[in-house]
Amino acid sequence: MNNIKWITKASLSLMALAAFASAQEAIPFKVYGFADMNVQYNKSASSFNTQFLGPDTMSISLGHANIYFDFNPNTHIKALLEVGFSSTKSSLAYNIGSDTNLFVDSKGSPISDMQVISAATAMKMAQLADSILGKGATAAQLEAAAPGTTASVETNVSKVVAAAHAAQVANAQNARRFQNISIQRAYFDLVLNDGNNLRMGQFITPAGIWNVDHGSPVVLTIRQPMETSIVPIFPESQLGLMYFGRQYLGDHDLNYNVYVTTGRTGPSAASIGHGYDNSIDKPSDLAYGGHVGLKLDMLKGISIGASAMTGTMREKYQNQQASLDIISMLLDTVGEAKVQNVVYNDYFNIKDREFIYGGDAKIEVGKLTLQGECNYRRIDNEKDNQSGTTNMLGYYGLLAYKLPLGTDYALTPYAMYENVGWKSSNGGAGSITDDGINGFYTVAAGLNFSIFTNFHFKLEYDRLQLLLNSKSSASFPSSIKEKDLVSNIISSQFSVAF
Amino acid sequence: MNIFYKTLVTFLALAGLALAGDFVVIVNPANTASSISSAELKRIYTGKMTQFGGQKAVPINLGDADPLYAEFVSSITKMSPADYKQFWVDAQIKGEGTAPMMQRNSAAAKMIVATIPGAIAYVDASVVDATVKKLNMK
């Protein structure tokens, strides 16, 4: 009797378990994510490098907290939303205070501050002469009658220009400090079979290895190669349509994808508050690309891949213009002149076309991992009457050796070298010129300590060397030498996947 | 006598290990496949192959305390159990899927396979019965 009771109880338990598991399988919605915290100390040989790395201070920050919302209602539909919360400073090479697009003429071409100040001063002086000395009086007559008036007016106009810049810089600095919520990816998949799938939405550009492996628990190092982060040769993510799949060749896998998108997103490298708006006016403005990869079932694993992409980078503005151009508007801010005959003009602040090619390889032999990527990017300036070109080449190599420490811990020492260089002609394109700096290299060495799989503690040393273009006219002061363009960085990071 | 005793103990120990490492692969009877290769198993348990035998593949792992788990993971995926866990953490962050469902032991895994049409599991041969279909290894 007792045996029957026990068997019945056990059967009920197993049935309940099966029902629970079945229900678990049916759960279409999952939430997971990762977070990391960073401590970093920079020491740069000159202030120039701080544009890339921030000031020479120790900083502690919650680097990222990314949440994934994974919705899989049935066999053929999958949706994924990844929202990133970040408190790290922007690592873009902003050049604060030199936004050449603060003032533009009626064609949208930049006007320097000095041109604006000079023209506005002349106009103001003419107005003052007219009102004080009578109609037809000249600025020279006014200056003769009241010496110092020109200098005084010029000072006032300069203050207006400076105030305009200050507001802009403050906005930019706020944007750097508090850039916080971003949608890393948001797409849904139409899953037909392993070989044929369709993805729609914003997705990580499937180029190479590191562009896809972007979460701190996945990435072995603290600082990613700059060609996939600070100066991304392939865009990090894109908005569009992707066809992807996988074919099985015996024990080996062939994976592939092709996509059509609106092209590179995000801020441009050149100026504050500006970026690529992906305006698409005609089919040729779209971006096209793809990746093919072969995973060989040899050693512990060998992967090789090739990526290519072409697209446009555009930023279109509607500029407000008055009959007296920007000068009238400036004077209006000090309460003197009036803006007349306001018109609106469309113009391209940025209009470039890029061609990108890349190769990647990863070899795992026992506990050893060797990984490398090489990417080339050519950018052509397609703005009217401009023909600048910039060529960029980046490559890196990573060597790591994993030392298991029992079943729950592992220590992985690693070393990485990266080199990125660029060369421009006719003023360059993509807001990149080789005037002054034409590349950099980094050397990194570190330790990655894995704890219970989900937790990682990393300690890393980086040395960044910016490279001077000795052949350029060099907008740099001649006193700056290459030895001044070195930064040493010590970083630690704690990350968790949940 | 001493040598005979040691040999016997060694033999019994090896026989025990061999038994502990013996797993069979089972699927739901709705699955049309009758055999499976190691490469296919690896792809299913690493999330690469999402359909098998006319069904959406639903792989089921045994708990890591079960000796079959380490045996299966190391022989089929060619990863250590720790590396296999890390593989799924990485895959999740990359947006490539989530780790397979896990069951405490072979009996529980078999019950799930009998319930879910696309389910596939590796279990101890002793639990296999008519509610599931055993696959031959290619």
Side-chain angles (χ1 to χ4, degrees), chain A residues 407-421:
Chain A
T407 54
D408 295 323
Y409 309 96
L411 185 66
T412 308
Y414 59 84
M416 182 169 70
Y417 173 81
E418 184 190 19
N419 192 309
V420 176

Side-chain angles (χ1 to χ4, degrees), chain A residues 21 68 185 194 250 253 402, chain B residues 43 50 83 93-94 98 112:
Chain A
Y68 294 67
R185 48 188 147 184
D194 289 347
D253 292 358
K402 187 170 187 176
Chain B
R43 286 171 185 139
T50 57
D83 286 347
I93 301 297
K94 290 179 197 174
T98 51
I112 304 300

